[in-house]
């Protein structure tokens, strides 16, 4: 039997750093961390390969994306079109 379980999907927003691939963009996420001892704030960035079906987004544009099933070896994210 299956219960109606809502899966909570993670969504992030960031800036496109590369759009050279077909239907794939590279999005950079910046987040601020605080050093545990010295309490200094510093930014940590991470890049994600995101599926862009319509090839709509170019370098420099802001995008929101959510997790999905694996689409390729290292692509597990899909753009949310507004």
């Amino acid at each position: 039997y299956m219960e109606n379980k809502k899966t909570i999907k993670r969504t992030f927003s960031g800036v496109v750093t590369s759009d050279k691939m077909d239907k794939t963009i590279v999005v950079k996420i910046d987040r601020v961390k605080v050093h545990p001892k010295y309490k200094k704030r510093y930014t940590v960035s991470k890049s994600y390969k995101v599926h862009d079906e319509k090839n709509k987004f170019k370098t420099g544009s802001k995008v929101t994306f959510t997790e999905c099933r694996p689409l390729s070896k290292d692509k597990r994210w899909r753009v949310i079109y507004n």
Side-chain angles (χ1 to χ4, degrees):
Y1 91 109
M2 283 290 292
E3 283 185 39
N4 284 345
K5 287 191 176 176
K6 292 272 185 192
T7 56
I8 298 165
K9 299 215 171 179
R10 295 179 293 165
T11 57
F12 294 119
S13 58
V15 180
V16 178
T17 55
S18 168
D19 62 341
K20 287 181 168 62
M21 293 172 275
D22 185 35
K23 296 187 179 181
T24 304
I25 53 177
V26 180
V27 182
K28 191 173 98 170
I29 303 289
D30 288 328
R31 57 192 197 94
V32 177
K33 286 182 82 174
V34 179
H35 191 279
K37 182 177 179 182
Y38 301 113
K39 306 295 186 252
K40 181 182 169 82
R41 293 163 169 266
Y42 58 99
T43 58
V44 179
S45 44
K46 188 174 177 186
S47 291
Y48 295 92
K49 287 189 181 160
V50 181
H51 185 66
D52 178 16
E53 183 66 39
K54 302 171 187 169
N55 277 326
K56 185 176 155 188
F57 295 103
K58 301 294 169 214
T59 304
S61 49
K62 289 203 67 149
V63 292
T64 306
F65 58 95
T66 185
E67 63 182 339
C68 62
R69 66 183 176 80
L71 298 165
S72 72
K73 181 186 161 194
D74 47 8
K75 196 162 52 160
R76 277 103 176 92
W77 302 90
R78 178 175 281 135
V79 166
I80 299 170
Y81 295 102
N82 300 3

